[in-house]
Amino acid sequence: MQLGYFLFMLALALAVTILIRGMSPLRAHAAEEGHDHEHEHEHDHEHDRKHKHKLGHSHDTGVFSIDYYAYISAIRDWNPMFKVFFSLAVLIAVIAINSLYVSLFVLITMGFLTVVRGRIPLHQYISTLTIPIVFVLVGSLTIALSFARQPLGQYNLHLGFFYIYTSDADLLRMVNLMAKAMAAVSALFMMTLSTPSGEIISVMRKVHVPRLIVELMNMIYRYIFVIMETNRKMHDSAESRLGYVDYRTSVKSFSGTASNLLVVSLKKANAYYDALISRGYNGELLFLEREKKMDREQTVLGVVYFLCIVVLFAVQKAALFG
Amino acid sequence: MSSKEKKVVGFISVLLIMVDLFSPRAFAMHIMEGYLPVSHSLFWFAVCLPFWFMGFKSLKKTVAEHPKSISIIAIAGAFIFVISSLKIPSVTGSCSHMTGTGLAAILFGPTPVAILGSIVLIFQALLLAHGGLTTLGANTFSMCIAGPLVSYLIFTGLSKAGAKKSFSVFLAAAVGDLFTYCVTALQLAVAYPAADGGIATSIVKFMGVFAPTQIPLAIIEGLLTTAIIIGLESYAKSELTDIGFLGAQVSESKGQLKPVGGKAVTALLIAAALIALIPFFALGSSAEFGGSDDAGSEMINEVTGKEYEPWFEPVLEKAIGGELPGEIESLFFCLQTGIGVGIIAYFMGRFNERKKLEKGGFIKEQ
C-alpha cells in the first residue's frame, strides 16, 4: 500500500508537470488576447460573487453557463477532435478499469486541466460538478445500505420494524462507485467546458454520423437559444402583469406559456425554413470554422497520460496482491 | 378563459400544491455519467439500436418527401429540451423539472421521439450536465422509448375508448413518467444487484428510495401536461392538426410528423417489454455472468472423478501475472461482438442493396 501511495503521488506530479509544460505555446497566444479575456473574467467574478452562497443547480446564473464557459475557455483553441476523443477515451478507461486510484487520478488531473489550463473559475467548476451530486448520493446510498428484519452485516441501525445495515465491503463498493462516477463526469466536463457544441457537432460530422442527425443537431442547438429567449420574454411579460403573483396564477401562466411557446415555435420554424431556402439551403448546413491544428506535442502527452493510467492500474493490482 | 377552464386550472393548482408540499428536491431520472459498467452501457445502446433505426428511417422518409419538415422536427426537439429545462412553479421552493416525454409522445408520436429524445439527451448532457454519454443508451431506452410508448398507447387507447381528453392526457403523462422511473430503477438494479437477494431485492430498494420523489413528480407532470394540452387546444387547433396530434388525419400534402399505426406500436411495445423483462427473469436472483469455458472441465470432473489439470496457461495471464479484471474482459467480449455484428450487418446491407439494384432500376437517393 505504501508503495502504491507513493507511485500515485508520483504519477500525479508527473501528469501535472506535463500539463503545465504543455501550456507554454499557449501563454504567448493568451498574452495577445489577454485584454479581451481580462474584461470577460472581471465580469465573471462579479457574477460569481453575487451567487457565492449558492452551489449546484442554480437557475439564476442562466441555464447555459456551460455553453458560455465553453466559449471563453483558454483551451478552446485545442483541436476539437483531439479533445472529444481524449475525453471519451479517458471516460471509457475510467469505467472499464474501475479502480479507485485511477478514478482519483482522473478526477484530479481533469479538474486541473479544466480549471487551471482552461481558466474556468473554480467556483463555477465545482458548482457544475455538484449538479449530479443528488443522484450520486441517493444512488450510492441505495447500493450501500440494505434493509432486513434481523440485524445483519457489520453495521446496523434499528428503526422500529426493520434494520438498515451495511458492511465494509459494501461501503468500499460505494466509495469506489462514487469516485468512478465523479471521475467520469470530470472527464466529460473537460470536453463540454472547453468545446462549444457547434464544434462537437462538427466532429460528429467528420466521423460520419448520418447527415440528417447532424443537420437536426445543428438546427436544434440554434433553436434552443431562440426558444429559450422567447420563453424568457413570455415569462417576463406574464410576470409584469402579475402572472406569477400566487401559486394558482403561476401554474396557469406556466402551462399557458408552455403551450403558447409551442405555437410560436412552430410559426418560427416555417419562417426559418423560408429564410434558409432563400439563401440556397439544400439539405446541408455548412459552417466556416477556424482551423485548429492537431498539436503533435499534445498527442504525445495524451498517450503519456494513458500510460500513467495503465501504470496506476498495475500498481494497484500489485498493491492488492503483493 | 371560460369558466370551465378556470375550474380546471383551479383544480390542477390545488392538486399541485398538495403534491408539491410532499415533494423534496427533484431527482433527475437521468442515470449519470459513469454510473453503469461498460457491458451494461453497451447492452442498452444495443437495445436502442432498432428503435433508433426505425425512427431514423421514418424521419428520413418524412424529410425526403417534405424537406420543409426538417425545420419543424428540429423546433420540436428544441421545444422538448426547453420544456424539460424549465423550473416547475413550486411553493416549497423545490427545484423540479418536467421530463416532457409524455407531452412529446402525445404531440409527436413515439417514433420520432426516439431520435429527437436522444438528441435532446445529448444536449442535456453537454449543456446542462444531466445524464451522460456512456449512459445515453440506458437513458434513451427509459426516457425516449419505454416511457413515450406507454404514454402514447394509453393516450390513443383511452381516446378510442371515448374517455375524456383531459383524463387520458393526464393518465398518459403520469403513467409514462412512472414507467420511465420503473425502467430506470430496473436498469440500476440489474447493474448493481444487492449482495443478498440479488436483482429482485435491489430493484425494490431502488424503487423504494426514488418513489417519494418520483410519484409526486409523475402526478405533477401529468397535471401540467394536461394544462398545456388544454391551452394548446383552445388556441392552436390548426397547428396541432399540423403536427399530427391526436392521430388526427394528417394531411399528406402538408407532410408533417406522422404517428405510426397501432400495429407497429403494439409490436414495438411488446419488444420493449420483452427486452426490459428478459434479463430480469432470465437472470433471476442468483444471476451469474459466465460462459461455457468452465463447463468442459466440470464435465471431465464428473466423468473421471478427478480434478482436471490445465496443461497450458493463457499467455496474457502469464504476462500480467493474474487474470484480467472482469470489466475489461467483458469489454473485450463486447468489442468482439460489436465487430462481428458490424461485419454481418455490412454484408446484409450489401446483399440487400444488391437485390434492390437487380430488381429495379437504380434510383439515386437525393
Side-chain angles (χ1 to χ4, degrees):
Chain A
M1 254 351 221
Q2 205 67 39
L3 178 76
Y5 181 70
F6 175 70
L7 277 174
F8 177 71
M9 294 315 284
L10 194 70
L12 196 62
L14 184 68
V16 170
T17 336
I18 288 169
L19 295 177
I20 294 176
R21 168 80 190 78
M23 205 191 316
S24 41
L26 210 94
R27 269 206 201 111
H29 182 67
E32 283 167 30
E33 290 184 344
H35 191 68
D36 265 9
H37 279 289
E38 214 84 308
H39 190 69
E40 274 169 328
H41 272 277
E42 246 168 63
H43 173 74
D44 294 345
H45 287 314
E46 205 176 51
H47 205 63
D48 280 346
R49 229 175 283 138
K50 257 197 257 167
H51 303 287
K52 202 137 218 170
H53 54 287
K54 262 193 184 171
L55 272 186
H57 196 57
S58 98
H59 285 268
D60 307 344
T61 49
V63 179
F64 296 112
S65 49
I66 294 186
D67 193 63
Y68 172 68
Y69 284 109
Y71 276 100
I72 63 160
S73 168
I75 55 175
R76 197 193 142 190
D77 289 329
W78 288 11
N79 182 292
M81 187 86 95
F82 170 75
K83 273 186 290 192
V84 170
F85 279 99
F86 183 58
S87 125
L88 279 183
V90 173
L91 188 60
I92 292 169
V94 167
I95 304 172
I97 289 175
N98 189 14
S99 110
L100 191 58
Y101 280 22
V102 173
S103 301
L104 289 178
F105 174 74
V106 168
L107 184 60
I108 295 169
T109 48
M110 284 296 153
F112 179 86
L113 205 56
T114 313
V115 174
V116 178
R117 300 233 26 206
R119 301 210 220 112
I120 303 297
L122 183 64
H123 174 266
Q124 175 63 31
Y125 182 67
I126 290 174
S127 74
T128 316
L129 267 184
T130 52
I131 289 175
I133 207 84
V134 183
F135 185 91
V136 179
L137 289 179
V138 179
S140 306
L141 281 179
T142 315
I143 289 165
L145 303 178
S146 304
F147 304 92
R149 283 300 184 81
Q150 320 86 8
L152 291 171
Q154 279 158 306
Y155 313 99
N156 58 55
L157 185 66
H158 191 218
L159 286 175
F161 300 106
F162 59 94
Y163 289 88
I164 296 181
Y165 70 93
T166 183
S167 64
D168 279 344
D170 275 348
L171 285 177
L172 194 67
R173 196 159 76 131
M174 180 184 91
V175 170
N176 222 333
L177 181 64
M178 283 167 77
K180 186 174 81 167
M182 289 322 285
V185 167
S186 72
L188 179 69
F189 283 179
M190 194 281 284
M191 174 178 86
T192 55
L193 284 172
S194 71
T195 321
S197 293
E199 289 182 4
I200 296 177
I201 297 170
S202 120
V203 169
M204 289 174 76
R205 185 206 303 278
K206 279 178 196 144
V207 297
H208 300 292
V209 170
R211 209 177 71 187
L212 180 62
I213 304 284
V214 173
E215 221 32 41
L216 274 178
M217 287 191 74
N218 261 326
M219 283 191 174
I220 289 177
Y221 177 58
R222 279 157 182 80
Y223 287 165
I224 281 172
F225 292 90
V226 175
I227 299 185
M228 214 65 198
E229 183 58 26
T230 316
N231 175 66
R232 198 186 57 77
K233 280 181 186 154
M234 285 181 173
H235 182 279
D236 287 355
S237 57
E239 179 134 41
S240 75
R241 281 171 283 165
L242 299 184
Y244 290 86
V245 67
D246 60 18
Y247 191 71
R248 193 184 143 153
T249 327
S250 55
V251 168
K252 196 184 117 199
S253 303
F254 179 85
S255 45
T257 306
S259 41
N260 218 347
L261 197 59
L262 182 65
V263 179
V264 174
S265 308
L266 287 173
K267 284 195 179 128
K268 284 196 171 177
N270 285 326
Y272 289 147
Y273 188 75
D274 293 344
L276 278 171
I277 286 293
S278 74
R279 286 166 177 77
Y281 175 71
N282 61 349
E284 192 161 18
L285 286 170
L286 289 168
F287 299 100
L288 285 176
E289 47 188 310
R290 202 187 303 163
E291 217 170 284
K292 295 170 180 175
K293 284 226 175 64
M294 192 74 184
D295 192 338
R296 192 174 296 162
E297 203 178 349
Q298 276 170 15
T299 323
V300 175
L301 295 179
V303 174
V304 172
Y305 187 83
F306 271 93
L307 286 181
C308 284
I309 289 182
V310 172
V311 167
L312 270 178
F313 174 54
V315 165
Q316 189 176 25
K317 282 255 121 175
L320 283 179
F321 294 115
Chain B
M1 189 173 236
S2 69
S3 66
K4 192 187 152 206
E5 274 171 43
K6 259 187 198 156
K7 254 189 226 158
V8 172
V9 169
F11 176 66
I12 285 176
S13 34
V14 169
L15 270 179
L16 274 178
I17 290 182
M18 281 162 61
V19 172
D20 188 82
L21 287 177
F22 296 104
S23 99
R25 204 190 139 108
F27 159 73
M29 255 184 286
H30 304 71
I31 299 179
M32 79 177 283
E33 185 68 90
Y35 219 73
L36 290 180
V38 174
S39 48
H40 286 256
S41 309
L42 288 175
F43 172 76
W44 291 113
F45 270 111
V47 169
C48 290
L49 270 183
F51 296 94
W52 275 334
F53 182 72
M54 274 189 63
F56 182 70
K57 247 181 101 178
S58 96
L59 277 187
K60 195 163 184 177
K61 207 176 142 212
T62 317
V63 172
E65 281 168 9
H66 311 278
K68 194 171 188 171
S69 58
I70 190 167
S71 187
I72 293 165
I73 296 169
I75 216 127
F79 176 72
I80 304 173
F81 179 94
V82 171
I83 283 293
S84 69
S85 74
L86 293 182
K87 198 178 152 236
I88 294 174
S90 141
V91 266
T92 54
S94 74
C95 176
S96 22
H97 303 263
M98 290 175 72
T99 61
T101 50
L103 184 66
I106 293 170
L107 286 177
F108 310 117
T111 329
V113 170
I115 292 273
L116 278 184
S118 317
I119 297 180
V120 169
L121 282 177
I122 293 178
F123 279 124
Q124 281 174 339
L126 294 182
L127 298 174
L128 303 178
H130 287 302
L133 297 182
T134 57
T135 52
L136 183 67
N139 286 331
T140 299
F141 182 73
S142 66
M143 303 179 69
C144 312
I145 293 172
L149 268 181
V150 167
S151 294
Y152 185 73
L153 273 194
I154 290 178
F155 179 70
T156 45
L158 282 180
S159 303
K160 261 183 208 155
K164 224 172 153 193
K165 187 160 289 152
S166 53
F167 175 70
S168 45
V169 169
F170 167 74
L171 210 64
V175 176
D177 216 45
L178 276 182
F179 190 69
T180 302
Y181 135 75
C182 292
V183 173
T184 308
L186 179 88
Q187 287 169 333
L188 285 172
V190 175
Y192 297 100
D196 36 24
I199 294 171
T201 317
S202 192
I203 193 170
V204 172
K205 271 201 303 184
F206 274 111
M207 288 178 86
V209 167
F210 294 139
T213 54
Q214 283 312 309
I215 290 173
L217 265 186
I219 298 173
I220 292 177
E221 172 109 28
L223 292 172
L224 283 177
T225 307
T226 317
I228 292 173
I229 295 279
I230 288 177
L232 272 177
E233 281 217 305
S234 54
Y235 47 70
K237 209 137 203 182
S238 67
E239 276 91 350
L240 275 188
T241 340
D242 274 3
I243 56 171
F245 171 62
L246 320 172
Q249 277 79 32
V250 182
S251 45
E252 281 287 320
S253 55
K254 281 199 173 162
Q256 313 297 13
L257 300 184
K258 270 176 284 179
V260 283
K263 255 186 207 167
V265 175
T266 322
L268 278 177
L269 187 82
I270 292 170
L274 280 181
I275 290 164
L277 292 178
I278 281 174
F280 189 44
F281 290 115
L283 298 175
S285 52
S286 59
E288 234 177 280
F289 185 76
S292 54
D293 303 17
D294 300 330
S297 53
E298 268 168 31
M299 192 48 105
I300 291 176
N301 250 344
E302 254 176 51
V303 174
T304 61
K306 266 187 277 177
E307 189 84 15
Y308 178 69
E309 194 75 34
W311 54 275
F312 190 76
E313 257 183 80
V315 185
L316 190 63
E317 281 185 15
K318 229 176 204 172
I320 64 166
E323 281 195 14
L324 275 176
E327 253 317 287
I328 293 189
E329 217 173 64
S330 51
L331 171 72
F332 282 140
F333 253 115
C334 295
L335 208 65
Q336 192 181 332
T337 320
I339 294 171
V341 169
I343 293 171
I344 293 173
Y346 173 75
F347 279 106
M348 273 170 69
R350 240 190 114 78
F351 289 142
N352 193 12
E353 205 60 23
R354 184 189 289 174
K355 206 173 157 194
K356 235 194 247 167
L357 290 184
E358 280 168 358
K359 239 186 188 171
F362 181 63
I363 303 158
K364 206 175 172 196
E365 267 185 66
Q366 276 137 19

